C-alpha cells in the first residue's frame, strides 16, 4: 500500500493492530499518522493516546507493555515507534513475539526510514496488519503532485507555475508544501496561482535556511547538514551569525516541544511564542523526533562552539562544520 491508498483504507476499516511505515517522505508519514489518530482517538481526548516513542529511549519490552494496557477514552491505544531499526536483536525478538499475538485493543505503528535488514519484522506486521510505503514522487512527477496538493488550499496551480516551483524548490515535500501555503496566502481570494505569483512568493533558488539545517541535524543527515551550513556561509552569513540563528531555532523547537507535551495546540503555541502558524507547524513536525536530552546536548555543544570561535585561532568555518558533525552524530549517542 502507498500513501495515496492509506486514507481509503482508514475509511473502509477496520483499523489494524499493526502498521509498517517505511520511507523518508516525512510530510506524507506525518499526515498518515494524523489521519490514523483522527480515526482512533476522539478529538477531545488526544492527550489520552497517540504516543510517539523513540526506539533509542524505549525498549521493545516497554513498548509492548504499554500496548497490552487497555486504552482510556479511545477506541484503541495508539503508539508509533520512531527508528525501530535501532533496537537490538533481543528487542526484535520481543517485538516479533508481540506481533505473533498483538493486542486487539491497541494499534502499533513502526516507522522505518530504510527497509534494510527488517524483512522479518515487515512480514510479521503484514501477517496481522498493513505495510505502507511513503515515497517522495520522482522529480518529473512533482508538478502533478503540486497541482493536486494545492487543492487543499482551495486553489488551482497553472502547469507553468507548478513546473517552475518544482524546479526551484526541489524534491523536499515539506518545503514545497510551505511554498504552496505562501503562494495561496499571496494571491488572497484569487482561485488560480499563476507563474508570476510563484515568482513573487517563492525563493528564486533552492533555499538553505537555518530551519532546514536544524532539520537535517535532527534527521541525522550529516552530508545535507554540512552542505546547508556551507551554503549559509557562502551566501554571506558569518559562522557566528549561523550559530546564533541555529541556537535561536533550537530554543524555538524546545519551546514547541514543551508546549505540545503540555497539551497546547499549535495555534496556542504560535500565539504564546509570537510566531507565524506555519513556523510552529514545521517545528512541531520535528519536535517528536528529538528528545530533551538531545536538545540539552545540542544547546551545550552550541555554547562551546560559540566560545571556541571567539577564543581560538581555528577557522570559524571549520569550527562550525565540526559542530554540525557532532550534532548529527549525537543522535546515536546513548
Amino acid at each position: 500500500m502507498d500513501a495515496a491508498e492509506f486514507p481509503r483504507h482508514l475509511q473502509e476499516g477496520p483499523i489494524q493492530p499493526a502498521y509498517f511505515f517505511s520511507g523518508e517522505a516525512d510530510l506524507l508519514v506525518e499526515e498518515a499518522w494524523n489521519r490514523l489518530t483522527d480515526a482512533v482517538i476522539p478529538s477531545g481526548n488526544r492527550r489520552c493516546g497517540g504516543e510517539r516513542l523513540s526506539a533509542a529511549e524505549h525498549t521493545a519490552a516497554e513498548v509492548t507493555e504499554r500496548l497490552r494496557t487497555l486504552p482510556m477514552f479511545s477506541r484503541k491505544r495508539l503508539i508509533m515507534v520512531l527508528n525501530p531499526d535501532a533496537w537490538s536483536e533481543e528487542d526484535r525478538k520481543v517485538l516479533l513475539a508481540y506481533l505473533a499475538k498483538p493486542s486487539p485493543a491497541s494499534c502499533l505503528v513502526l516507522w522505518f526510514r530504510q527497509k534494510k535488514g527488517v524483512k522479518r519484522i515487515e512480514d510479521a506486521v503484514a501477517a496481522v496488519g498493513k505495510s505502507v510505503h511513503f515515497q517522495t514522487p520522482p522529480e518529473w512527477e512533482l508538478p502533478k503532485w503540486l497541482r493536486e496538493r494545492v487543492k487543499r488550499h482551495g486553489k488551482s496551480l497553472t502547469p507553468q507555475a507548478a513546473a517552475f516551483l518544482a524546479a526551484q524548490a526541489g524534491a523536499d515535500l515539506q518545503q514545497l508544501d510551505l511554498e504552496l501555503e505562501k503562494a495561496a496566502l499571496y494571491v488572497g481570494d484569487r482561485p488560480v496561482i499563476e507563474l508570476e505569483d510563484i515568482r513573487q512568493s517563492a525563493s528564486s533558488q533552492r533555499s538553505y535556511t537555518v530551519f532546514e539545517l536544524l532539520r537535517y541535524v535532527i534527521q541525522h543527515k550529516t552530508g545535507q547538514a554540512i552542505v546547508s551550513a556551507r551554503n549559509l556561509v557562502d551566501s554571506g552569513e558569518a559562522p557566528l551569525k549561523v550559530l546564533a540563528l541555529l541556537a535561536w531555532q533550537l530554543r524555538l523547537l524546545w519551546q514547541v516541544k514543551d508546549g505540545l507535551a503540555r497539551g497546547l495546540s499549535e495555534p496556542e503555541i504560535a500565539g504564546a511564542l509570537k510566531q507565524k502558524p506555519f513556523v510552529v507547524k514545521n517545528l512541531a513536525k520535528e519536535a517528536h523526533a528529538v528528545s530533551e536530552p538531545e536538545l540539552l546536548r545540542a544547546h551545550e555543544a552550541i555554547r562551546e562552539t560559540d566560545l571556541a570561535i571567539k577564543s581560538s585561532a581555528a577557522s570559524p568555518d571549520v569550527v562550525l562544520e565540526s559542530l554540525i558533525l557532532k550534532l548529527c552524530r549525537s543522535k546515536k549517542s546513548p
Side-chain angles (χ1 to χ4, degrees):
M1 182 189 308
D2 62 23
E5 297 172 296
F6 189 66
R8 184 169 64 251
H9 159 73
L10 293 179
Q11 289 178 351
E12 296 173 352
I15 303 299
Q16 302 297 305
Y19 291 93
F20 182 100
F21 282 9
S22 63
E24 295 187 347
D26 294 18
L27 177 68
L28 303 182
V29 172
E30 183 71 21
E31 290 176 348
W33 169 253
N34 288 337
R35 287 191 178 98
L36 183 58
T37 301
D38 289 341
V40 172
I41 302 170
S43 58
N45 296 312
R46 290 295 165 80
R47 296 187 66 185
C48 301
E51 296 178 272
R52 301 191 197 212
L53 305 177
S54 169
E57 298 175 24
H58 298 272
T59 65
E62 291 172 336
V63 172
T64 56
E65 182 179 355
R66 294 193 191 199
L67 289 166
R68 291 191 176 99
T69 303
L70 291 176
M72 296 179 63
F73 311 115
S74 64
R75 294 169 57 191
K76 291 177 179 287
R77 180 173 293 277
L78 179 59
I79 294 178
M80 173 190 277
V81 178
L82 305 172
N83 302 317
D85 49 340
W87 272 339
S88 66
E89 188 60 34
E90 191 60 35
D91 281 310
R92 296 187 182 204
K93 289 179 181 178
V94 172
L95 174 64
L96 290 170
Y98 172 81
L99 290 172
K101 193 175 181 180
S103 169
S106 293
C107 176
L108 169 64
V109 177
L110 300 167
W111 180 13
F112 293 88
R113 291 182 178 276
Q114 303 290 335
K115 294 177 68 172
K116 296 177 182 177
V118 292
K119 189 175 187 307
R120 287 181 63 201
I121 295 175
E122 183 176 13
D123 289 345
V125 170
V128 295
K130 297 290 183 182
S131 179
V132 191
H133 186 53
F134 299 89
Q135 182 178 9
T136 299
E139 289 198 11
W140 60 271
E141 279 192 359
L142 285 175
K144 178 182 177 182
W145 183 86
L146 285 165
R147 297 189 71 191
E148 185 63 31
R149 181 81 181 179
V150 78
K151 294 177 183 177
R152 299 178 178 221
H153 300 286
K155 308 290 184 185
S156 62
L157 191 65
T158 66
Q160 296 84 357
F164 178 82
L165 181 53
Q168 297 302 313
D172 185 328
L173 297 187
Q174 288 178 317
Q175 182 65 31
L176 287 169
D177 193 48
L178 176 60
E179 296 296 350
L180 282 179
E181 183 176 350
K182 286 163 55 180
L185 291 172
Y186 177 80
V187 302
D189 294 333
R190 283 195 284 121
V192 180
I193 299 173
E194 306 279 353
L195 173 59
E196 188 56 31
D197 298 321
I198 294 295
R199 289 184 188 275
Q200 293 297 323
S201 66
S203 302
S204 62
Q205 59 184 359
R206 292 187 180 183
S207 57
Y208 293 92
T209 65
V210 176
F211 170 72
E212 287 175 325
L213 170 58
L214 179 63
R215 178 153 53 86
Y216 289 143
V217 168
I218 290 171
Q219 295 175 1
H220 194 61
K221 295 181 177 179
T222 307
Q224 288 157 292
I226 290 292
V227 169
S228 182
R230 286 177 180 170
N231 276 275
L232 282 164
V233 173
D234 290 345
S235 68
E237 297 287 5
L240 270 175
K241 179 69 177 296
V242 174
L243 196 65
L245 292 170
L246 185 59
W248 174 65
Q249 282 285 340
L250 186 70
R251 286 194 296 272
L252 274 180
L253 176 63
W254 206 331
Q255 290 171 313
V256 169
K257 183 176 180 66
D258 179 69
L260 293 171
R262 290 189 286 115
L264 298 178
S265 67
E266 290 178 13
E268 288 172 331
I269 296 172
L273 297 179
K274 295 182 172 56
Q275 295 293 322
K276 296 290 186 183
F278 76 86
V279 172
V280 172
K281 178 181 178 182
N282 284 322
L283 287 168
K285 292 174 182 177
E286 307 303 327
H288 301 291
V290 62
S291 67
E292 289 197 6
E294 287 169 347
L295 288 170
L296 179 60
R297 288 197 296 270
H299 176 76
E300 292 173 345
I302 289 174
R303 180 174 55 82
E304 292 169 0
T305 301
D306 179 75
L307 180 63
I309 290 178
K310 293 175 178 177
S311 61
S312 75
S315 165
D317 294 13
V318 172
V319 176
L320 178 62
E321 290 192 8
S322 295
L323 168 69
I324 302 304
L325 288 171
K326 182 177 181 180
L327 292 179
C328 288
R329 290 167 180 165
S330 72
K331 285 189 67 64
K332 290 188 174 181
S333 301

